[in-house]
Amino acid sequence: MLTQTLHYTEAARRLYLSQPSLSYAISTLEKELDVELFQKQGRSITMTRYAEELLPFAMTAIRTIDAGLQRIKEMKNPKNIRLGYIYSISYDFLPSILNLLPQFTEKDEYTFSFYQGQSKELIRRLKADELDLAFCPYYDAKGISREPIFSQEIFVVVKDTHPLARKSVVKIADLEKEKFALINTGTNLRKIIDEVLQEHKISPQIVFEADECNSLASFVASGLGISFIPKIASLEAYNLSFLRVDSVPIKRMIYLIWKTGGQAAKIGEIFREKLHETYQTQLSSGLAEIEHY
């Protein structure tokens, strides 16, 4: 923590320690190593080269200990389900899932913990047995089972003072001379956008790329470009207009995914069945979307 704050008082506060206790611990470690880890510069401190060299080893040790503690918790509560999800479903779909969980736990006595991340990170965590289930767009990942849940509409988003903001529906041709802020390459959303633009022979002038929708929304709100993103409640504060594309429904499929044959495979099957019971209509329309995309 001290390497992050470079401030003894703030680091001690975050660690729920007194400042003298933290200072003593660092001093003891420095004496043991016979090197100086931090140097004072006025009221602030800086890391020495010894601290910079030690840091990655310390972080590895901390992660290993955390993983061990998590494993002990799982052994005490083997029915805890670690559920991952992408950010853009946290304001609409995820709350409905949370309403479903009491029905799920009442009979089977499961508990849940949650992790938010990008699709590739969620899949990495599934394969590493750090997650049990996740909701995200599907990547063709070996060893991952999937179940379609619903299709998420993607909108053209512009600043609310942009000339196109007066429309509720735009044509792809209307976007030809615009500057674009797009999600990074390698993502499912970017693949869909690239295919739509390529199909309509538009070579986008990309002026900004980002890992997540909030960064794109902030850039668009500055009036420097337009983007393609889902409609998320948290973006309403950015003064944006969300426009549908005429005759070209842009959607992506959101899946429930889990590690094939992994320790959560059975839980995944149970959860899938309960989702089927609750979201049968969405699942049916979702299967139709798969055939289109």
Side-chain angles (χ1 to χ4, degrees):
M1 187 61 69
L2 187 57
T3 60
Q4 298 175 5
T5 64
L6 295 178
H7 194 284
Y8 275 95
T9 301
E10 178 61 18
R13 184 187 68 80
R14 296 188 186 186
L15 292 169
Y16 301 100
L17 296 173
S18 67
Q19 183 176 331
S21 296
L22 178 60
S23 298
Y24 178 76
I26 296 297
S27 176
T28 300
L29 179 60
E30 289 178 328
K31 288 179 181 179
E32 182 179 342
L33 297 174
D34 195 25
V35 297
E36 190 177 27
L37 298 175
F38 298 92
Q39 292 179 334
K40 291 185 178 180
Q41 292 185 346
R43 295 185 177 181
S44 61
I45 61 174
T46 59
M47 295 172 59
T48 67
R49 63 190 181 94
Y50 298 108
E52 291 175 350
E53 187 70 21
L54 179 60
L55 180 60
F57 295 97
M59 294 304 296
T60 298
I62 291 171
R63 284 193 292 267
T64 300
I65 292 172
D66 286 344
L69 294 175
Q70 179 62 36
R71 181 57 184 152
I72 295 299
K73 291 179 181 178
E74 291 167 6
M75 291 175 67
K76 291 171 63 178
N77 180 18
K79 291 189 176 182
N80 178 64
I81 298 177
R82 299 162 298 175
L83 184 62
Y85 61 95
I86 59 171
Y87 173 77
S88 67
I89 70 169
S90 59
Y91 288 89
D92 43 29
F93 177 69
L94 190 63
S96 65
I97 291 297
L98 297 180
N99 291 331
L100 176 63
L101 297 189
Q103 304 173 31
F104 194 37
T105 59
E106 182 178 349
K107 177 182 177 182
D108 302 308
E109 297 181 351
Y110 287 103
T111 60
F112 293 83
S113 55
F114 299 90
Y115 175 82
Q116 178 184 297
Q118 297 179 9
S119 297
K120 286 186 176 180
E121 176 63 11
L122 296 177
I123 289 176
R124 185 198 69 77
R125 285 176 172 266
L126 282 172
K127 288 185 172 183
D129 291 321
E130 296 172 3
L131 282 178
D132 300 308
L133 305 166
F135 291 100
C136 68
Y138 178 69
Y139 284 79
D140 189 14
K142 189 175 181 179
I144 296 294
S145 297
R146 62 171 178 167
E147 180 70 26
I149 302 300
F150 71 100
S151 59
Q152 184 181 51
E153 186 169 5
I154 308 301
F155 294 82
V156 175
V157 60
V158 301
K159 183 176 174 61
D160 60 3
T161 56
H162 190 285
L164 291 176
R166 296 192 297 267
K167 303 180 178 182
S168 59
V169 179
V170 295
K171 297 179 180 179
I172 286 289
D174 296 335
L175 312 179
E176 189 170 5
K177 296 182 180 180
E178 298 290 339
K179 296 178 179 179
F180 289 85
L182 298 179
I183 202 76
N184 278 332
T185 56
T187 61
N188 175 267
L189 178 56
R190 180 61 179 271
K191 179 176 181 291
I192 292 172
I193 293 168
D194 286 346
E195 288 176 353
V196 168
L197 294 176
Q198 184 178 5
E199 182 181 346
H200 291 80
K201 296 181 172 53
I202 292 180
S203 299
Q205 182 183 352
I206 302 170
V207 294
F208 181 72
E209 293 178 300
D211 285 327
E212 44 81 31
C213 295
N214 271 299
S215 296
L216 295 174
S218 179
F219 187 87
V220 172
S222 70
L224 298 176
I226 69 172
S227 189
F228 291 89
I229 55 178
K231 184 180 285 188
I232 307 170
S234 65
L235 304 183
E236 293 177 357
Y238 285 103
N239 298 319
L240 303 172
S241 292
F242 290 82
L243 316 174
R244 286 188 168 89
V245 179
D246 184 34
S247 302
V248 188
I250 304 176
K251 298 183 180 181
R252 65 174 175 179
M253 183 58 60
I254 302 298
Y255 293 85
L256 170 66
I257 62 174
W258 62 93
K259 183 178 178 180
T260 304
Q263 60 185 14
K266 182 60 178 178
I267 297 175
E269 292 290 342
I270 296 171
F271 201 48
R272 177 185 61 81
E273 291 172 5
K274 290 186 178 290
L275 284 170
H276 262 293
E277 295 171 6
T278 307
Y279 298 101
Q280 191 62 51
T281 303
Q282 292 92 324
L283 285 166
S284 297
S285 62
L287 290 171
E289 291 293 342
I290 293 174
E291 295 177 358
H292 180 72
Y293 285 100

